[in-house]
Amino acid sequence: MNNILTSDQLEIIKGLMQVPATISPKYFYDAKGSALFEDITRLQAYYPTRTEHAIMSIHAPEIARRVGASCTLIELGAGNCQKAKALCELIKPAHFVAVDISEEFLHDAVARMRLTFPDIDIQALAADLTADIGLPASLPAQRRLVFYPGSSIGNFDPPQAQALLSRIRDLIADDGALLIGVDLVKDEAVLNAAYDDGEGVTAAFNLNVLDHVNRLIGSDFDTNQWQHRAFFNADRSRIEMHLEAKANQLIHWRHGARSFARGERIHTENSYKYRVEDFVELLERAGLPQTQVWTDEHAWFAVVLARP
Ligand code: AVI
């Protein structure tokens, strides 16, 4: 067996050896995790997806007018491309690039998009947004619209979020724009229910990361020995997701091991909730000072159009 570790393996093992242990949320999205996330987006308790969809539908004409004619649409975290589909109908770009970390999932979605939009040049790009997004060299540099829906920006710590927004600003040059969804601070009970739903779908999504990690580093996590924990941390304005050990256990992987005591946690995700003014400030610091904000009637979610 090859003894050289891949960067994913190194990152996972480093996180597991930390106290408290961490697993990056990017490892949620194997094929099963991506499908479970789609199930989450359909849950009654998980308000972000339908709220963002409602904002985009109600304000579609104004959004289209303000976005203007965009030559190239680039969707980050495209998943099943459902949201880009509506935007393609609205702004009719010449090119569409779907970027996502889950390659298997992306290819099927892009194949369906090509059937729906035979006149648009459509490409799939498997990329990790924490690194540089290497767009195809053939893509026109003018009038790019980066679409980053779903409040996935909230899964980055604010400094990382600002760094990603700066990289987006570089991708769009001076005549482009960013259309982004961001989840807002609200009643804690609403937030907690969205990340700990009664049907156990979010729990299954969280636990699935252990099966994915087992495949990636050859570890022996048993999902029956762990439980889902999710709660709003008001001091840091974020939902935290953890996996908590139900019993003392020793986890092995190739050439390594770590013990976990009953009750010890692995931190798997943060989901930051912003105030509109704080998010606008973050965009400004990233070089995107011209903003237009749309929200829903409860001000639970915002869709922001930002330009250099
Ligand atoms: C992908 N991301 C925006 C989701 C969120 O709400 O932070 C991931 C998620 N985690 C648990 N439920 C949904």
Side-chain angles (χ1 to χ4, degrees), residues 15 21 33 36 52 54 144 194 200 213 226 260 304:
L36 281 166
E52 181 180 52
R144 289 178 171 174
V213 162
W226 295 83
F260 288 91
V304 184

Side-chain angles (χ1 to χ4, degrees), residues 56 104 114 119 239:
M56 296 275 298
E104 310 150 79
R114 287 197 180 116
D119 297 337
I239 284 280

Side-chain angles (χ1 to χ4, degrees), residues 29 37 40 46 150-152 155 194-195 202 205 241 269 271 273:
Y29 302 97
F37 179 64
I40 289 176
Y46 192 76
S151 74
S152 295
N155 296 131
Y195 290 84
T202 311
F205 172 73
M241 295 216 310
E269 187 179 57
S271 191
K273 309 302 167 189

Side-chain angles (χ1 to χ4, degrees), residues 8-295:
D8 279 346
Q9 290 170 328
L10 278 170
E11 181 183 1
I12 293 168
I13 292 168
K14 191 172 157 219
L16 289 177
M17 295 307 288
Q18 277 170 15
V19 181
T22 61
I23 298 176
S24 163
K26 70 184 179 196
Y27 298 108
F28 282 139
Y29 302 97
D30 63 352
K32 184 175 172 194
S34 298
L36 281 166
F37 179 64
E38 263 200 68
D39 294 343
I40 289 176
T41 64
R42 288 190 282 264
L43 290 171
Q44 186 53 33
Y46 192 76
Y47 61 84
T49 313
R50 66 166 184 281
T51 310
E52 181 180 52
H53 179 77
I55 297 169
M56 296 275 298
S57 309
I58 292 168
H59 299 286
E62 196 194 345
I63 292 174
R65 186 170 55 75
R66 291 202 179 253
V67 161
S70 292
C71 173
T72 300
L73 175 64
I74 301 157
E75 183 181 14
L76 305 182
N80 62 11
C81 296
Q82 262 325 99
K83 295 169 187 167
K85 196 171 157 226
L87 204 53
C88 281
E89 274 155 11
L90 205 62
I91 64 170
K92 304 192 171 50
H95 309 267
F96 170 54
V97 185
V99 183
D100 202 284
I101 194 155
S102 177
E103 200 163 354
E104 310 150 79
F105 206 67
L106 193 59
H107 277 95
D108 292 351
V110 161
R112 286 194 299 272
M113 283 291 280
R114 287 197 180 116
L115 289 177
T116 315
F117 299 103
D119 297 337
I120 304 180
D121 159 49
I122 300 179
Q123 306 187 48
L125 181 68
D128 173 357
L129 299 185
T130 56
D132 265 348
I133 309 159
L135 290 175
S138 59
L139 215 61
Q142 304 78 31
R143 291 188 288 122
R144 289 178 171 174
L145 175 68
V146 171
F147 181 40
Y148 193 24
S151 74
S152 295
I153 192 71
N155 296 131
F156 295 96
D157 289 338
Q160 285 179 313
Q162 193 186 322
L164 173 56
L165 293 170
S166 299
R167 288 205 301 281
I168 293 173
R169 192 262 170 265
D170 293 343
L171 284 182
I172 61 175
D174 288 344
D175 63 353
L178 165 68
L179 185 64
I180 186 166
V182 58
D183 199 12
L184 303 178
V185 178
K186 60 186 66 62
D187 186 346
E188 274 191 34
V190 176
L191 286 168
N192 287 331
Y195 290 84
D196 196 6
D197 64 279
E199 286 150 81
V201 183
T202 311
F205 172 73
N206 198 6
L207 286 161
N208 178 63
V209 81
L210 297 180
D211 286 331
H212 191 201
V213 162
N214 282 345
R215 287 200 308 282
L216 290 171
I217 65 163
S219 50
D220 56 1
F221 282 104
D222 173 358
T223 52
N224 295 313
Q225 296 301 317
W226 295 83
Q227 58 194 331
H228 169 66
R229 295 278 182 232
F231 52 85
F232 186 61
N233 176 337
D235 291 338
R236 306 192 76 166
S237 198
R238 68 189 193 193
I239 284 280
E240 294 185 10
M241 295 216 310
H242 302 258
L243 288 165
E244 187 175 296
K246 289 186 187 171
N248 296 342
Q249 52 200 286
L250 182 62
I251 303 299
H252 309 84
W253 54 87
R254 267 174 246 131
H255 314 303
R258 159 152 188 192
S259 61
F260 288 91
R262 180 165 172 262
E264 205 172 338
R265 289 174 176 173
I266 304 175
H267 191 167
T268 51
E269 187 179 57
N270 292 319
S271 191
Y272 283 84
K273 309 302 167 189
Y274 285 93
R275 295 186 312 150
V276 170
E277 51 276 35
D278 294 337
F279 193 70
V280 164
E281 208 181 299
L282 195 67
L283 286 165
E284 258 174 44
R285 280 195 302 240
L288 295 160
Q290 300 186 66
T291 50
Q292 168 77 36
V293 181
W294 295 274
T295 60

